Amino acid sequence: GMSRFDINTEKNNAEVSINLNPAARGKGYAIPLLRLSIELFTAQHPITLTATIHEANSASQRCFARCGFQQTNSASPFLLYQRPFNQT
């Protein structure tokens, strides 16, 4: 799997995305991958994180929610999530 952080210096945030090999999905790897990635990234970049998740992707919604993201908006067919930097 992999995680990606696209930094937006104008907004002082980073858009987060993760992707797992289809053979690894549903095995509990996504949350630990995302948590560790956030920990490593925010140690060097103390900024708010955002995520754009397709409204049909309930697994990603749960994963990001369990990692401290909250839905802030929607722009159908996508849901917008945010995790402030100061969140643990």
Side-chain angles (χ1 to χ4, degrees):
M2 70 96 192
S3 57
R4 177 179 169 154
F5 295 81
D6 291 319
I7 299 172
N8 182 330
T9 55
E10 291 178 13
K11 294 183 179 181
N12 196 36
N13 68 17
E15 178 79 10
V16 183
S17 59
I18 63 170
N19 192 10
L20 291 176
N21 181 313
R25 293 178 186 163
K27 297 183 179 180
Y29 299 134
I31 292 170
L33 170 65
L34 184 57
R35 282 188 177 147
L36 181 58
S37 298
I38 289 169
E39 181 181 324
L40 294 171
F41 180 82
T42 56
Q44 295 182 15
H45 305 281
I47 58 178
T48 295
L49 303 177
T50 62
T52 304
I53 305 171
H54 198 280
E55 60 190 10
N57 191 344
S58 59
S60 268
Q61 292 170 38
R62 285 190 305 274
C63 176
F64 277 83
R66 291 198 50 198
C67 290
F69 286 76
Q70 294 183 334
Q71 184 181 343
T72 58
N73 209 342
S74 64
S76 191
F78 297 99
L79 304 174
L80 308 175
Y81 284 74
Q82 186 175 66
R83 182 183 186 275
F85 168 69
N86 61 357
Q87 189 165 348
T88 57

